[in-house]
Amino acid sequence: MKKLLFVLPLLIAFVCQSQEKKTKDFDSKKHEIKFGAIKMLAVPIFEGTYEYIYSKDFTFGGSLLMNLQSDKNYPENFSITPFARFYFQETQEYGAKGFFVEGFAKYSSGRNNPNYYSQYYDYSAGAIGLSLGKKYINRSGFVLELLAGAGRVLGNSEVAPDAIFRGDINIGYRF
């Protein structure tokens, strides 16, 4: 009986310690790399995103967009977009997943046709905006993200678009 009373707490402590280690291993994954699938398939545009998980409710990162075929009718040839996201947890299993709200700033350059004539003009402009999204992630680190948002171009340019759109279905990996 004394042996059982000695061994039983050790066994319980061992089991609790191993369960804690599993969640800790997943929580140690703080980096995500993603790319925009719809833009890559529909128009050859590469948009890569890096996101750093600061806490279970807050992340920040940046996106880089490059138009691989600039003769297509897409106004942006290049853009860089830093962002910050706030997550609203649906479960307490692990963080930085589920529904989120994103605030972003964007610098873009490209060609635009402001008057809908045949003449295109080069522009570069900054913008700020908000996005909404939902992120799904499995235990192995595979990420699927749905994102849609809009922003307002800053400044008084007649050539740059008045508003910008931010959205895609992003596929990536958390490590």
Side-chain angles (χ1 to χ4, degrees):
M1 182 71 173
K2 288 183 180 180
K3 288 182 180 178
L4 182 62
L5 289 175
F6 179 72
V7 172
L8 189 59
L10 286 176
L11 184 61
I12 290 171
F14 177 73
V15 169
C16 290
Q17 180 71 16
S18 66
Q19 288 176 353
E20 184 180 331
K21 193 168 195 141
K22 284 182 185 176
T23 58
K24 201 165 190 141
D25 286 346
F26 189 81
D27 288 340
S28 69
K29 296 181 178 183
K30 300 272 186 199
H31 308 278
E32 284 183 10
I33 293 182
K34 300 170 279 211
F35 74 95
I38 299 296
K39 287 178 186 166
M40 184 61 95
L41 293 174
V43 184
I45 294 175
F46 173 78
E47 185 171 16
T49 302
Y50 169 78
E51 185 175 357
Y52 177 75
I53 292 92
Y54 183 75
S55 71
K56 67 179 182 170
D57 298 327
F58 178 72
T59 65
F60 56 89
S63 295
L64 177 70
L65 180 138
M66 293 185 301
N67 190 345
L68 303 175
Q69 198 170 11
S70 60
D71 60 339
K72 294 288 184 183
N73 193 13
Y74 190 77
E76 293 178 60
N77 287 334
F78 171 81
S79 73
I80 187 161
T81 310
F83 60 83
R85 292 180 178 173
F86 297 95
Y87 287 85
F88 300 93
Q89 300 300 320
E90 296 171 357
T91 65
Q92 296 301 319
E93 197 173 336
Y94 47 87
K97 76 172 195 77
F99 176 74
F100 63 86
V101 175
E102 171 188 276
F104 67 88
K106 185 173 198 170
Y107 169 78
S108 62
S109 65
R111 296 177 58 84
N112 194 20
N113 184 352
N115 299 321
Y116 303 105
Y117 298 117
S118 61
Q119 183 69 31
Y120 281 85
Y121 299 98
D122 292 336
Y123 77 92
S124 62
I128 58 171
L130 292 173
S131 299
L132 300 174
K134 177 104 177 181
K135 183 189 292 186
Y136 302 94
I137 182 166
N138 68 5
R139 290 219 178 260
S140 65
F142 179 76
V143 176
L144 175 68
E145 177 182 277
L146 309 170
L147 175 70
R152 181 80 174 154
V153 173
L154 303 174
N156 194 10
S157 172
E158 294 181 14
V159 178
D162 292 333
I164 52 125
F165 171 73
R166 175 165 163 76
D168 212 334
I169 295 176
N170 295 316
I171 299 171
Y173 184 72
R174 183 181 287 186
F175 58 95

